[in-house]
Amino acid sequence: MNYVYRGSVGNYGYMMPAPAPAPAGIPMPQSTMPGYPATAPMNPGMQGMQGMQAQGAAPAPGTPVGPMAATTGALITPSGTTVAPPQFEQSYVENILRLNLGKTGTFYMTYENNCEWNAKIFRGVIEAAGRDHIIISDPITGQRILLLMVNLDYITFDEPLNYTYPGVIGNPPR
């Protein structure tokens, strides 16, 4: 086999096999990557067999076997149907708070190295919750307060919570 020195950046100076000459009368496809040979043309009689496998034979390299994941997170079966994954929130504080938007809670917060007040209690209606924050509104004044999760100790509620544990639909039985 003949080798050609490829000194370009993409080949890092390695010796690469020289591209095989095209058989007479069969056009060679152009490579999309400079410095790399194009793939050999497919046997014209085998074009209809592409992707098909003999029963019990090992799959051809690159042939998908079993379900594949779609960009949406759904699974695609070998027959081409799409199966959606189960829809439930993971059990994190922000997700539990999102399930309980509109409920009133008491939020116990601690602020380290604060000489005025080390701990503070906020009471309000949950407006929104994110990964690192909670937005509540004071039911009396209507003032909105942004609380940081890093300062949150715990929360109490005077009413039952909506809570879905991962993998369980609805509230778990008590």
Side-chain angles (χ1 to χ4, degrees), residues 15-110:
M15 299 294 286
M16 300 293 292
I26 299 178
M28 285 291 284
Q30 296 297 317
S31 174
T32 57
M33 295 185 66
Y36 288 94
T39 57
M42 186 185 296
N43 183 342
M46 295 297 287
Q47 287 178 357
M49 299 293 288
Q50 183 180 11
M52 295 180 64
Q53 300 173 12
Q55 192 170 4
T63 304
V65 179
M68 297 179 348
T71 57
T72 61
L75 294 177
I76 302 173
T77 63
S79 64
T81 57
T82 305
V83 179
Q87 298 295 319
F88 54 82
E89 294 275 347
Q90 293 189 8
S91 185
Y92 294 110
V93 172
E94 70 258 23
N95 293 334
I96 295 168
L97 291 173
R98 283 189 205 118
L99 290 171
N100 292 281
L101 294 178
K103 294 192 177 184
T104 303
T106 305
F107 299 80
Y108 296 86
M109 312 290 282
T110 303

Side-chain angles (χ1 to χ4, degrees), residues 138-157:
D138 185 326
I140 298 168
T141 65
Q143 180 184 28
R144 290 193 167 57
I145 305 164
L146 175 67
L147 303 172
L148 299 180
M149 290 279 200
V150 70
N151 302 115
L152 179 66
D153 292 326
Y154 64 96
I155 308 167
T156 60
F157 294 90

